Amino acid sequence: MLPELGNLALLLSLLLAAALGVLPLLGAQRGIEPWMRLARPLAHGQLLLIGISYALLTWAFIDHDLSVAYVARNSHVDLPAMYQISGVWGGHEGSLLLWVLILAIWTAAVARFSRSLPLPVVSRVLAVMGLVSVGFLSFTAFTSNPFERLLPAASTGQDLNPLLQDPGLIFHPPLLYTGYVGFAVAFAFAVAALLDGRVDAQWVRWSRPWTNVAWGFLTLGIGLGSYWAYYELGWGGWWFWDPVENASFMPWLVGAALLHSQATAEKRGSFHGWTLLLAIAAFSLSLLGTFLVRSGVLTSVHAFASDPERGLYILGFLVAVVGGSLALYATRAPRNLQAQPFAASSRETLLLANNLLLTAATAMVLLGTLFPLLVDALKLGQISVGPPYFGLMFTLLMTPLVLLLPFGPLARWGREDAGALGRLLAPWFALAFIALVLVALTWPAGTLKTAAGIGGGLWVLAGTGVFLWRRLRVQRQRLTAEMVGMLLAHAGIGVFVIGVLVLESTMVERDVAARAGHALRGARVHLRLRGRGGRARPQLRRRRGHRAPVPRGPRGGGAEAREALLQCRPAGDDRGQLRCRTVPRRLRRPRRPPRCRKRGMGLAALRETLHPLDLVRRPDDGHRRLRGGLRPPLPQTGEGRGGGPALMGRWLPLLLFAALAALLGVGVVMNAGKTQTEIQSPLIGRPAPDFALPDFRDPDTTVTRADLLGRPYLLNIWASWCASCRIEHPVIAELARSGRVMVVGYNYKDDPADAARWLAQFGDPFHRIIADVEGRAAIDWGIYGAPETFLVDATGIVRWKHVGPVTPEVVQRELLPRLSALEAGP
């Protein structure tokens, strides 16, 4: 009964969202005040109903109501309580409900904290957010309903994906979604300004605090997500350039550009048209991320769903929201706004360069993410765009941004003496350059990238310090909350640059299999395992003769290596296997990203928690405060460079989006004829990934891709913790007995002792078993969990993939025809 009540509350919230999107908007356009006054009650009512729906779904998880299909697929009777609650958003349907809940919270917050705004403005803003809610609530209720019943009910549940059984699930999605959805507020203010026909500094002033908070949440979400992937998937580095990671990074880049553009538009009356476009683009890229995660157009380890039908709905919604707003921009954007003029050497020019570089970086990431889809659509083959492209292009685009960053806060609005500014910063640039040279010459493990990272980071930190010293000691003025936020953000960037480039240039990672008594020799260190079996203790010998022990930590833990140039952790519990990598001496936690990188992200996020305070509590300088009323419009003096866009410029974004929507539509249509398993694996028709993993039965033996060539084989991913693996095991055993295909087991993220007991209990049908205790090679295979099964032909080409238990029906319908085709030959 409770799930039905949750579904009813969801449908009622859809009706309220529809009323919110229509009545206040019509009231504002026609001047009907009673209709406009409905906006706030409808926003609060929508939040109440969605909150009830979400609470009832959460209770279904806590109460183990396995008659709800979504609960049965993403929970288990033995699942810890913390993952029962966070498991609500561990799948496609529940994550959508979380999305609409956060959107309703943002909508209610705007209704609550905008009482000083004119009623027509609030009505339009809330109506736009209501229309966005209609789209997501319709998608949730009619294509992704989390309250659908499963009859008969499951007995124990299929369990939450093991990769998601981590504290990262508790924090990462809610923070990321809060940032994603928060850009809807700036989007709504921009659309409301276009509908009203008043594009001036006021709409920027109203929307700016919301943009800062949203960007801060998105920063925290991306940072925690990077940390989670770092220790859970073992990717290393600071970013993997996965398609869905890129989908979150693009709105972050545009959001950063929007923050600076809004500051210019508010204080100088410039860049109004450009600020409108950025506000639309930030939320549009958030919607694009939703499409990429849930449509199956691109494959990612982060993907929630791969259903082309759902993809078509999201694409239609994307076209309606983004296409409609860009069409509104093209027809109603200001053409000849007057703004205060500025010289080439001014803060406005530097902020314009900031915007152009961040926008170019966004375009670069978008191109690299979607280029494989474009090539596939044009029938030019299949390619992949990886870290080499993204790393090189992003470095090229961000280098001038890092070099110019210290000048921005120090430059004056309108006009600045470039010579005086250069003389002020020249000594600090010289010191940063000297540090760069010293690191390049004296750090044995460093490279030019290491030196550039330290030099660039120190340059940014020095520029930030100069601004602070000049403000407090020379000008003897206090720091506003906005300035404190800016200082924290820029200091965070400096720390982040050092952490990223030092890590990328000094980390070397190698997978090796060793046992007690074995020694591994490197260029600068020697590693020897002393002891027996699982009690083997690793010891490091540096070239100078200093011996530094490396503590043995539990699997999944973060052992601390004192003075370690080589960090090691066990790859198994009782077989003496270690995974080691060389790192900078100052990075002391082998399974965590550098502290300086995390602190950089934290400082940048903290900036956005302080900045809105300054916008709300500015000292009274002749204007009324934001919460107490509206400031008068900025004076419009003279023709400036921040006027409205030209005719072609106003239509160009819409034309570019039309091309992008056509490409995404082709991708969805191309996937519509494929099976679910084909959508989920880009490896179909490609060589199986290379790997070198220990043999489960003989850990001293390494199994490689070449060892399995010569005859077709079925690679079955299984684990002792996998309940569904028990269901499919008799089918796998029967396939092995038939002799038609060699069955190879892939023991995934499992305890070797538990896996051995599992095989003793249920039988061992495998020709060989590969042990991937840490799950590192699974990333190359695109493995999300267990069970999964691959069919690889005699030449090593992947021909088929199945996600979930292999049933007799799957064998008859999908596997046997493919085996027959392989036996028949080309």
Side-chain angles (χ1 to χ4, degrees):
M1 183 63 183
L2 291 181
E4 283 69 28
L5 289 177
N7 192 32
L8 177 61
L10 188 65
L11 294 174
L12 291 177
S13 67
L14 174 59
L15 294 178
L16 288 188
L20 176 61
V22 174
L23 295 179
L25 185 60
L26 289 177
Q29 295 300 108
R30 299 181 179 181
I32 306 177
E33 184 173 338
W35 289 11
M36 289 189 282
R37 294 194 178 278
L38 290 175
R40 289 190 174 92
L42 288 172
H44 295 308
Q46 175 191 240
L47 173 61
L48 176 63
L49 289 172
I50 295 176
I52 292 173
S53 180
Y54 185 85
L56 291 176
L57 181 61
T58 304
W59 177 252
F61 272 79
I62 297 174
D63 193 44
H64 302 299
D65 188 352
L66 300 179
S67 67
V68 178
Y70 179 72
V71 176
R73 290 195 304 270
N74 295 279
S75 185
H76 191 273
V77 292
D78 296 327
L79 193 66
M82 60 185 295
Y83 298 130
Q84 293 173 14
I85 297 175
S86 59
V88 175
W89 57 78
H92 167 68
E93 292 84 353
S95 65
L96 267 180
L97 188 58
L98 176 66
W99 178 289
V100 296
L101 174 65
I102 293 175
L103 179 58
I105 292 173
W106 277 104
T107 306
V110 172
R112 169 64 180 82
F113 295 106
S114 61
R115 296 188 180 278
S116 60
L117 270 64
L119 184 59
V121 173
V122 178
S123 301
R124 291 188 179 96
V125 171
L126 294 179
V128 172
M129 299 185 72
L131 291 175
V132 174
S133 298
V134 168
F136 278 105
L137 285 169
S138 301
F139 183 42
T140 304
F142 301 123
T143 70
S144 309
N145 196 316
F147 296 103
E148 290 183 353
R149 288 288 191 175
L150 176 66
L151 298 175
S155 57
T156 59
Q158 296 182 18
D159 205 358
L160 184 66
N161 188 326
L163 289 177
L164 300 180
Q165 295 183 31
D166 185 275
L169 178 67
I170 301 174
F171 305 105
H172 170 57
L175 289 173
L176 194 70
Y177 285 7
T178 303
Y180 268 155
V181 180
F183 285 129
V185 180
F187 171 82
F189 271 102
V191 173
L194 289 170
L195 290 172
D196 188 26
R198 289 191 59 194
V199 181
D200 52 23
Q202 286 188 347
W203 82 269
V204 176
R205 188 175 298 116
W206 296 331
S207 64
R208 194 177 171 204
W210 304 99
T211 306
N212 281 272
V213 174
W215 190 84
F217 275 108
L218 187 58
T219 302
L220 287 175
I222 292 175
L224 289 176
S226 177
Y227 176 41
W228 181 17
Y230 186 92
Y231 72 76
E232 178 65 29
L233 299 177
W235 286 349
W238 68 282
W239 199 254
F240 193 65
W241 298 107
D242 176 85
V244 175
E245 284 185 330
N246 294 347
S248 68
F249 192 39
M250 288 185 288
W252 186 90
L253 290 171
V254 173
L258 176 60
L259 296 178
H260 295 85
S261 180
Q262 285 180 330
T264 309
E266 178 190 1
K267 296 176 181 180
R268 300 292 292 176
S270 301
F271 306 165
H272 281 293
W274 178 247
T275 305
L276 283 168
L277 190 58
L278 287 177
I280 294 172
F283 184 60
S284 300
L285 289 170
S286 299
L287 294 181
L288 178 64
T290 305
F291 174 81
L292 294 178
V293 172
R294 303 171 193 275
S295 66
V297 168
L298 296 173
T299 301
S300 167
V301 71
H302 303 275
F304 276 113
S306 301
D307 188 346
E309 294 183 0
R310 290 171 174 170
L312 282 174
Y313 180 94
I314 303 176
L315 181 60
F317 180 57
L318 186 69
V319 169
V321 173
V322 182
S325 58
L326 290 178
L328 189 64
Y329 173 83
T331 56
R332 306 200 57 150
R335 301 181 182 180
N336 293 302
L337 270 181
Q338 292 182 335
Q340 299 184 27
F342 58 89
S345 57
S346 64
R347 185 178 295 186
E348 290 94 327
T349 301
L350 292 170
L351 290 176
L352 179 61
N354 160 288
N355 272 228
L356 293 177
L357 289 169
L358 289 173
T359 306
T362 305
M364 179 274 298
V365 175
L366 180 63
L367 177 63
T369 303
L370 298 181
F371 191 71
L373 179 61
L374 175 63
V375 171
D376 195 20
L378 296 177
K379 307 296 183 182
L380 299 177
Q382 292 182 329
I383 67 167
S384 60
V385 179
Y389 160 80
F390 290 109
L392 175 62
M393 296 301 297
F394 192 74
T395 301
L396 292 176
L397 289 170
M398 290 299 103
T399 297
L401 184 65
V402 170
L403 293 176
L404 292 175
L405 192 147
F407 294 96
L410 293 169
R412 288 194 293 263
W413 296 107
R415 180 180 296 275
E416 176 59 77
D417 185 350
L421 192 59
R423 290 189 294 272
L424 178 65
L425 288 173
W428 303 101
F429 182 82
L431 288 176
F433 184 76
I434 291 172
L436 184 153
V437 174
L438 290 176
V439 171
L441 296 177
T442 61
W443 192 342
T447 64
L448 182 59
K449 182 183 284 188
T450 311
I454 293 178
L458 291 178
W459 164 242
V460 174
L461 291 173
T464 305
V466 168
F467 173 83
L468 182 63
W469 170 79
R470 189 182 185 188
R471 179 80 179 180
L472 296 178
R473 300 297 300 274
V474 178
Q475 299 175 349
R476 297 190 179 279
Q477 297 179 356
R478 70 178 186 87
L479 292 174
T480 64
E482 180 181 0
M483 290 181 180
V484 173
M486 179 269 294
L487 290 171
L488 289 174
H490 288 191
I493 291 174
V495 176
F496 185 78
V497 167
I498 295 175
V500 168
L501 293 182
V502 170
L503 176 69
E504 286 192 348
S505 59
T506 57
M507 185 178 70
V508 178
E509 193 165 338
R510 295 173 56 195
D511 289 337
V512 295
R515 61 182 177 181
H518 281 190
L520 303 174
R521 296 180 180 271
R524 305 181 62 242
V525 292
H526 295 165
L527 172 69
R528 180 178 294 278
L529 298 183
R530 298 188 180 276
R532 296 182 179 180
R535 297 182 181 275
R537 180 179 177 81
Q539 287 187 324
L540 286 178
R541 183 188 297 274
R542 296 178 57 190
R543 182 175 279 181
R544 296 177 182 174
H546 176 72
R547 182 175 295 174
V550 183
R552 176 181 175 86
R555 198 181 115 217
E560 187 166 315
R562 297 181 300 274
E563 222 174 39
L565 293 173
L566 188 68
Q567 293 179 344
C568 303
R569 50 192 170 91
D573 287 341
D574 59 356
R575 301 184 185 276
Q577 300 172 16
L578 290 174
R579 174 164 286 112
C580 303
R581 65 184 180 183
T582 60
V583 296
R585 288 183 61 185
R586 294 175 179 80
L587 307 183
R588 300 184 179 271
R589 295 184 183 270
R591 285 185 59 99
R592 297 184 185 180
R595 293 179 181 178
C596 55
R597 192 174 79 243
K598 293 189 292 181
R599 288 171 180 168
M601 291 179 176
L603 289 174
L606 180 60
R607 176 253 193 220
E608 302 313 322
T609 65
L610 293 175
H611 181 69
L613 299 179
D614 190 53
L615 296 176
V616 173
R617 301 192 185 99
R618 293 183 189 234
D620 194 347
D621 55 357
H623 302 309
R624 287 172 289 172
R625 300 176 184 176
L626 178 59
R627 292 186 60 152
L630 305 179
R631 296 183 184 180
L634 289 176
Q636 309 293 333
T637 59
E639 186 67 19
R641 304 182 189 183
L647 179 62
M648 186 59 190
R650 287 185 287 115
W651 285 97
L652 183 59
L654 182 60
L655 296 176
L656 292 175
F657 173 72
L660 174 63
L663 176 61
L664 297 177
V666 170
V668 172
V669 172
M670 290 172 60
N671 282 331
K674 298 181 180 179
T675 65
Q676 188 79 355
T677 58
E678 288 173 329
I679 293 170
Q680 290 180 337
S681 179
L683 292 175
I684 304 297
R686 299 182 181 181
D690 291 326
F691 60 88
L693 294 171
D695 189 301
F696 180 83
R697 301 187 183 99
D698 183 10
D700 295 333
T701 302
T702 299
V703 182
T704 66
R705 174 180 177 270
D707 296 332
L708 302 178
L709 298 178
R711 59 178 294 192
Y713 64 92
L714 203 67
L715 187 69
N716 179 244
I717 287 77
W718 66 279
S720 63
W721 44 259
C722 168
S724 300
C725 296
R726 303 184 182 186
I727 299 174
E728 73 167 7
H729 197 65
V731 180
I732 299 296
E734 181 61 31
L735 284 170
R737 286 192 294 268
S738 69
R740 293 194 62 181
V741 63
M742 179 174 66
V743 180
V744 178
Y746 189 109
N747 189 231
Y748 174 64
K749 283 197 169 187
D750 203 0
D751 182 281
D754 291 342
R757 285 191 291 268
W758 193 91
L759 291 173
Q761 179 180 357
F762 297 103
D764 185 356
F766 301 111
H767 177 76
R768 301 190 76 167
I769 303 178
I770 304 168
D772 190 0
V773 178
E774 297 294 326
R776 296 188 63 82
I779 298 172
D780 297 329
W781 284 88
I783 296 172
Y784 304 144
E788 295 184 12
T789 306
F790 295 83
L791 176 63
V792 185
D793 67 16
T795 63
I797 304 298
V798 178
R799 298 300 180 186
W800 175 73
K801 177 184 177 182
H802 179 76
V803 178
V806 175
T807 63
E809 293 77 14
V810 171
V811 172
Q812 293 294 328
R813 184 179 67 252
E814 299 185 30
L815 179 58
L816 291 184
R818 288 175 169 83
L819 283 176
S820 299
L822 292 180
E823 293 168 351

